Amino acid sequence: MKNKNGDIWLDDQGKKIQAHGGMILKHENMYYWYGENKEGPNVKSATDGRKVDFIGISCYSSSNLRDWHYEGLVLEASNDPSNPLYRDKVVERPKVVYSKWTKEFVLWFHYDHDDYWIAASGVATSKTPTGSFELNKIFKPNRKDSRDFTIFEDEDKFYLVHSSDFNKTMYISELTDDLTDVTGLYTKILVDQEREAPAVFKKNGMYFMVTSGTTGWEPNAALYSRSNHLFTPHKLIDNPCEGQDYRYTFHGQFNYAFEVKGNVYIMIDHWKPDNLRDSGYSILPVEIIGKKKRDLRIKWTEEPFGGELV
Ligand code: GAL
């Protein structure tokens, strides 16, 4: 069995991997893939049934980034309507980071109602990467909206990069050392550009951010931006995709960028809005060409990681 980009991938038991809108964390020579478990039917919602009730956040582990072992739900939906994690809520795009100060794993997620009007961040903590995580708080970072987001580490500091102001503007908000809160220092970038699903990485001293437009589950053209500094304006440059359907991000939405052995890879969710549980995955290599006008390239290939990690 071999997983192919664009398909739903299978774990080491041959079961569908349920880790959408996710991320991969490396910790002590193991990789952990966290994501939304959508193994349920689409239900009626403010978004015309384009929703699965909250089930939980899955975790899969792997030593080689190819064979994934299910570790269970690290955060679970509640059946109690008075619980903030009641199953009618929306819990999306989980990102887990490790604080070397508290030696705790911290899980951030986008928390919402099915009408997407709460626009808050949830924070949960655990002593181990496989959970379970205990809810710490649900709040608006710096009293701002936070919908799609990522967490980016730069020289021992962590930043929440979140779509805000009704998805008009991206914010970069510094996190406290325990990684459970914001410090109050933040900046706005890509002002009024309506970008979401940010994936950030640093290469050759430059900060790159790949984002999507705001068309919900429907694919659109990705754009990348770059900047010499995290907190100075980021310039939108171009669509980094090349190949068939490059204007539709290969029928997906970029999600999370990470480095393995100095190479940058980016995860894609191939959303199936009317049957979300079968949404597929891709992991594509990112080519950094140099400080030219257009310096990033992401080509379509069916092989996860472009076949590079054999
Ligand atoms: C997308 C977003 C997804 C989900 C979806 C709901 O724009 O990236 O995470 O929130 O909208 O329509």
Side-chain angles (χ1 to χ4, degrees):
M1 184 275 307
K2 245 180 131 192
N3 289 321
K4 273 201 324 209
N5 281 338
D7 293 352
I8 183 135
W9 293 3
L10 304 181
D11 68 10
D12 60 357
Q13 306 294 307
K15 291 214 174 107
K16 289 177 185 172
I17 293 182
Q18 283 295 336
H20 308 277
M23 62 95 64
I24 292 174
L25 172 78
K26 188 175 185 203
H27 186 77
E28 289 174 354
N29 293 322
M30 281 300 277
Y31 294 97
Y32 298 92
W33 179 354
Y34 301 91
E36 303 157 24
N37 186 310
K38 290 195 171 311
E39 191 55 72
N42 276 42
V43 294
K44 272 198 172 157
S45 70
T47 48
D48 292 332
R50 298 180 136 202
K51 182 206 174 207
V52 170
D53 271 344
F54 175 45
I55 296 166
I57 300 304
S58 309
C59 176
Y60 293 82
S61 62
S62 174
S63 57
N64 59 11
L65 290 160
R66 285 197 180 273
D67 307 305
W68 293 99
H69 182 73
Y70 185 48
E71 298 283 353
L73 296 177
V74 294
L75 185 78
E76 267 188 78
S78 162
N79 285 321
D80 170 4
S82 67
N83 188 305
L85 296 179
Y86 184 52
R87 56 187 150 76
D88 71 341
K89 297 296 183 301
V90 167
V91 174
E92 290 182 335
R93 297 188 175 267
K95 302 287 171 277
V96 175
V97 281
Y98 176 70
S99 166
K100 61 180 181 194
W101 302 105
T102 59
K103 305 212 171 351
E104 279 192 333
F105 295 83
V106 185
L107 163 67
W108 285 70
F109 53 88
H110 168 199
Y111 178 81
D112 232 310
H113 260 305
D114 64 353
D115 58 8
Y116 287 91
W117 275 85
I118 299 182
S121 294
V123 180
T125 57
S126 167
K127 294 269 175 226
T128 60
T130 50
S132 44
F133 285 78
E134 203 181 306
L135 186 65
N136 172 300
K137 62 170 155 299
I138 291 169
F139 77 128
K140 290 220 180 202
N142 301 309
R143 279 177 260 126
K144 301 289 177 192
D145 295 348
S146 184
R147 290 191 174 87
D148 282 3
F149 77 100
T150 194
I151 295 188
F152 173 65
E153 180 184 359
D154 188 31
E155 289 167 14
D156 278 348
K157 279 274 171 202
F158 289 75
Y159 302 87
L160 182 75
V161 180
H162 51 118
S163 294
S164 197
D165 298 348
F166 297 97
N167 283 350
K168 288 250 176 285
T169 294
M170 197 66 73
Y171 278 56
I172 303 181
S173 303
E174 189 186 60
L175 298 189
T176 53
D177 285 339
D178 69 2
L179 306 182
T180 66
D181 211 339
V182 288
T183 62
L185 178 72
Y186 67 89
T187 191
K188 299 181 193 194
I189 60 159
L190 309 181
V191 175
D192 291 339
Q193 296 303 314
E194 297 193 2
R195 308 302 300 168
E196 64 180 8
V200 187
F201 60 92
K202 187 180 183 182
K203 209 66 197 171
N204 307 334
M206 301 278 280
Y207 297 86
F208 292 94
M209 186 178 303
V210 180
T211 52
S212 75
T214 51
T215 55
W217 303 116
E218 305 299 335
N220 54 53
L223 287 175
Y224 78 91
S225 52
R226 68 164 137 69
S227 177
N228 284 311
H229 304 281
L230 201 54
F231 271 64
T232 55
H234 292 229
K235 183 173 164 39
L236 276 171
I237 313 280
D238 203 350
N239 182 341
C241 299
E242 270 184 25
Q244 210 184 344
D245 297 323
Y246 76 98
R247 286 185 58 79
Y248 299 96
T249 313
F250 318 119
H251 295 287
Q253 185 181 31
F254 289 122
N255 175 22
Y256 186 75
F258 60 104
E259 261 190 52
V260 184
K261 295 183 191 146
N263 297 318
V264 180
Y265 298 94
I266 193 157
M267 299 169 84
I268 301 185
D269 290 296
H270 298 271
W271 300 115
K272 290 207 167 117
D274 299 319
N275 185 22
L276 283 161
R277 65 174 144 199
D278 280 345
S279 301
Y281 309 105
S282 294
I283 299 181
L284 296 175
V286 179
E287 289 174 64
I288 294 111
I289 305 159
K291 272 195 190 172
K292 294 185 191 153
K293 265 194 186 152
R294 182 175 179 281
D295 41 18
L296 220 65
R297 187 157 59 200
I298 304 173
K299 284 194 208 148
W300 175 252
T301 150
E302 271 194 352
E303 281 273 321
F305 297 93
E308 285 168 13
L309 289 179
V310 249

